[in-house]
Amino acid sequence: MRRTFPSPFTMTLIVLAVVIIFFLSVPILKMFVGVGSDKFIETLRDGEVLSSIWLTMKVSAWAMLFVIITGLPLAYLIARFDFYGKSFLESLIDLPVMIPHTAAGIALLSTFGDTELGNFFKFFGIEFVGTEYGIMIAMMFLSAPFLINAAKDGFRKVDPKLEKVARTLGANPLQTFFAISIPNAKKDIINGALMMWSRGLGEFGAVIILVYHPMTTPVLIFDRFSSYGLSYSAPVAAVIIGLSAIVFFIIRFIANKL
């Protein structure tokens, strides 16, 4: 059998793909190899590390849930309706992705810190500086665009005829939204939610301006690095990367089976 070799164009694509895979994967592999199994297991038993990981994953999940409730209606409105200021609104949603995270933290502190709006929330027992609410709002502010934009693209893929058929069969708009629109856009919504949750896990710049204690894992890594150096911070980084990868792969596997 005559063997065919890839064309120069295909070989160029392969080489370029290998280059980006190298830069994406080697630092992660080096993290685990450099730390070593003993140090990795010891860090897994560190109560402060486990507490920070649980806090980070929990608050990021709460931020994701809040945006699912509030962001899906917004994504649906943008996908289904044309209205004045739509382009401005879409730019506003994308803006947090582009601005420096420390600038986002300053903006959040200026808005929800010791201000009239901050005092308004304090009246209801919600304080953002030095609390889990502050971590949540920082994660939400910077990662919500991933979920909203993914859901928007998902809703745009849903054929409007399906929704119209449901309406002609007697379903009201709310029933159509939950029975037709969301199920048909679920893959994009789940992917967006995963991206938002995983992005929230790594948020540092905005979180540290609003909340140093209780420490999320990125803040704990920074704290140990600045206090004790690389040898104390690398194992914590390896643990959060490993656990995040496991959770992410499990959820992605389940999502692909839906």
Side-chain angles (χ1 to χ4, degrees), residues 87-101 103-104 107 141-146 149:
S87 297
F88 174 77
L89 180 60
E90 289 184 284
S91 301
L92 191 66
I93 293 170
D94 291 333
L95 190 59
V97 177
M98 295 180 282
I99 63 177
H101 292 193
F141 182 79
L142 287 159
S143 57
F146 293 99
N149 285 330

Side-chain angles (χ1 to χ4, degrees), residues 1-207:
M1 181 182 292
R2 183 179 180 184
R3 180 176 295 178
T4 58
F5 292 95
S7 66
F9 174 71
T10 304
M11 284 302 299
T12 303
L13 295 180
I14 293 173
V15 170
L16 292 175
V18 169
V19 170
I20 188 62
I21 290 172
F22 172 83
F23 280 104
L24 291 175
S25 60
V26 169
I28 294 175
L29 296 175
K30 181 69 173 62
M31 178 72 71
F32 291 102
V33 174
V35 167
S37 58
D38 294 341
K39 198 71 177 175
F40 188 83
I41 294 172
E42 180 185 336
T43 306
L44 274 176
R45 295 171 178 166
D46 188 328
E48 187 180 27
V49 173
L50 295 180
S51 176
S52 73
I53 290 174
W54 168 245
L55 173 69
T56 307
M57 289 188 169
K58 178 186 69 174
V59 178
S60 186
W62 279 116
M64 181 188 69
L65 182 62
F66 184 84
V67 176
I68 286 176
I69 296 171
T70 57
L72 288 189
L74 173 62
Y76 185 77
L77 287 172
I78 294 173
R80 277 290 177 267
F81 301 98
D82 290 320
F83 50 86
Y84 182 77
K86 182 176 175 179
S87 297
F88 174 77
L89 180 60
E90 289 184 284
S91 301
L92 191 66
I93 293 170
D94 291 333
L95 190 59
V97 177
M98 295 180 282
I99 63 177
H101 292 193
T102 47
I106 295 295
L108 290 171
L109 184 62
S110 303
T111 305
F112 299 106
D114 190 17
T115 62
E116 291 184 0
L117 189 57
N119 292 331
F120 172 78
F121 281 102
K122 283 181 185 175
F123 180 78
F124 297 99
I126 301 174
E127 190 170 353
F128 294 103
V129 179
T131 69
E132 292 186 13
Y133 290 115
I135 300 171
M136 177 180 162
I137 200 170
M139 290 178 172
M140 184 183 67
F141 182 79
L142 287 159
S143 57
F146 293 99
L147 174 51
I148 295 172
N149 285 330
K152 181 179 67 179
D153 292 339
F155 286 133
R156 281 177 174 159
K157 294 175 186 174
V158 179
D159 191 345
K161 292 178 182 175
L162 294 174
E163 298 174 344
K164 290 179 181 177
V165 169
R167 295 295 307 279
T168 58
L169 293 175
N172 61 40
L174 186 64
Q175 291 171 325
T176 303
F177 181 68
F178 282 107
I180 301 296
S181 307
I182 287 183
N184 283 282
K186 64 183 179 184
K187 280 206 167 184
D188 289 287
I189 294 172
I190 292 172
N191 285 333
L194 277 176
M195 289 301 297
M196 179 184 172
W197 177 75
S198 56
R199 180 64 195 81
L201 294 181
E203 180 49 42
F204 171 74
V207 169

Side-chain angles (χ1 to χ4, degrees), residues 190-224:
I190 292 172
N191 285 333
L194 277 176
M195 289 301 297
M196 179 184 172
W197 177 75
S198 56
R199 180 64 195 81
L201 294 181
E203 180 49 42
F204 171 74
V207 169
I208 199 170
I209 288 177
L210 281 169
V211 184
Y212 200 93
H213 292 280
M215 286 187 186
T216 61
T217 308
V219 176
L220 179 64
I221 292 170
F222 170 76
D223 184 75
R224 292 198 174 185

